Amino acid sequence: MAASTFSVFGTDIRITGNVHASADLHIDGHVEGDVTCTSLVQGEGSEIQGAVKAETARLSGTVRGTINARDLVILKSARIHGDVHYDSLTIEQGAQVDGRFAPRVAGEDATVVNFAAS
C-alpha cells in the first residue's frame, strides 16, 4: 500500500499543537498551532491560530499568524491577521488582511509594505 499524499482535516476536527506534514493538506477544521506542509488548501469555515509555512497555499478561512508561502492565493472569504511573506501573491477582492506584506527575498531583508485590505 502506497503512502498517502493528501490529508484532509474535516470540519469536526480540532487540533491543538503544531502540524508538520510531508503530504499536502486540506484543512476545514481548527488548528491551534503552526502548520508546515508542501501545499495547503484552507476551507472557508476553518481557522488556523499559528504560523503557516507552505510552498503553495490557497486560503479561504481565518489565519491568525504569520504566513510564508512561495505561491499564495488569498480568496475573498479569507480573514488574515498577521504578516504575509510570498514570492507570488494573488488576493481576491473582498479578502480582509490586517498585517504587513513583504516579498520573500533569499539572503536579503525584504522591503515591508504596510497594508490593510477589506
Side-chain angles (χ1 to χ4, degrees):
M1 184 170 186
S4 175
T5 60
F6 198 79
S7 295
V8 178
F9 297 154
T11 56
D12 58 339
I13 301 294
R14 179 173 297 274
I15 296 173
T16 301
N18 298 334
V19 176
H20 298 281
S22 57
D24 299 342
L25 295 177
H26 184 121
I27 298 176
D28 286 320
H30 292 3
V31 176
E32 294 179 24
D34 298 342
V35 175
T36 304
C37 61
T38 303
S39 179
L40 174 64
V41 175
Q42 182 194 32
E44 196 170 307
S46 73
E47 182 171 346
I48 298 171
Q49 294 182 12
V52 171
K53 187 173 183 180
E55 286 296 309
T56 62
R58 188 170 178 85
L59 308 176
S60 58
T62 301
V63 176
R64 299 179 190 282
T66 300
I67 300 169
N68 190 330
R70 187 189 64 197
D71 296 314
L72 178 60
V73 177
I74 301 174
L75 300 171
K76 65 183 176 182
S77 59
R79 305 297 175 253
I80 309 297
H81 305 277
D83 294 343
V84 177
H85 305 277
Y86 59 90
D87 287 348
S88 169
L89 176 66
T90 302
I91 304 175
E92 286 187 347
Q93 182 176 349
Q96 295 180 2
V97 181
D98 182 12
R100 298 179 300 166
F101 282 74
R104 295 184 336 162
V105 180
E108 295 181 17
D109 289 337
T111 302
V112 175
V113 178
N114 289 318
F115 185 85
S118 59

